[in-house]
Amino acid sequence: MSVVQTILVYAVIPLAIYGLVALLTLRDKFARAPRYRPGQPWEYPAVWWTANPAGADASAVPTGGGKTRGTAKGGARGSW
């Protein structure tokens, strides 16, 4: 067995297998939409969920027309 064949069998092929497994593992992370992080603006409409839609009273849903306070940033990362 030559040196080139030895390197191919013991180095290149295992590295290619590890790279393929890594790509298969990380493919969901790259295909997914970015996550919302606290402090980022919320650009989506509000969604109100209730277990009984027939019993939901539209007048009880807050409209957000009053004064709102800014929310503090923070969390587990400690970026206050």
Side-chain angles (χ1 to χ4, degrees):
M1 220 173 169
S2 70
V3 175
V4 174
Q5 291 174 335
T6 303
I7 292 174
L8 179 68
V9 170
Y10 290 110
V12 175
I13 293 174
L15 286 175
I17 293 171
Y18 280 116
L20 178 66
V21 170
L23 287 175
L24 290 175
T25 304
L26 296 174
R27 71 181 165 158
D28 290 337
K29 182 178 181 180
F30 294 123
R32 191 177 341 163
R35 293 177 53 188
Y36 170 77
R37 299 290 182 190
Q40 292 178 338
W42 186 256
E43 301 170 354
Y44 304 99
V47 177
W48 295 97
W49 182 87
T50 178
N52 182 8
D57 183 12
S59 65
V61 177
T63 60
K67 286 187 175 181
T68 59
R69 295 185 339 210
T71 58
K73 292 182 182 179
R77 288 175 198 78
S79 56
W80 295 82

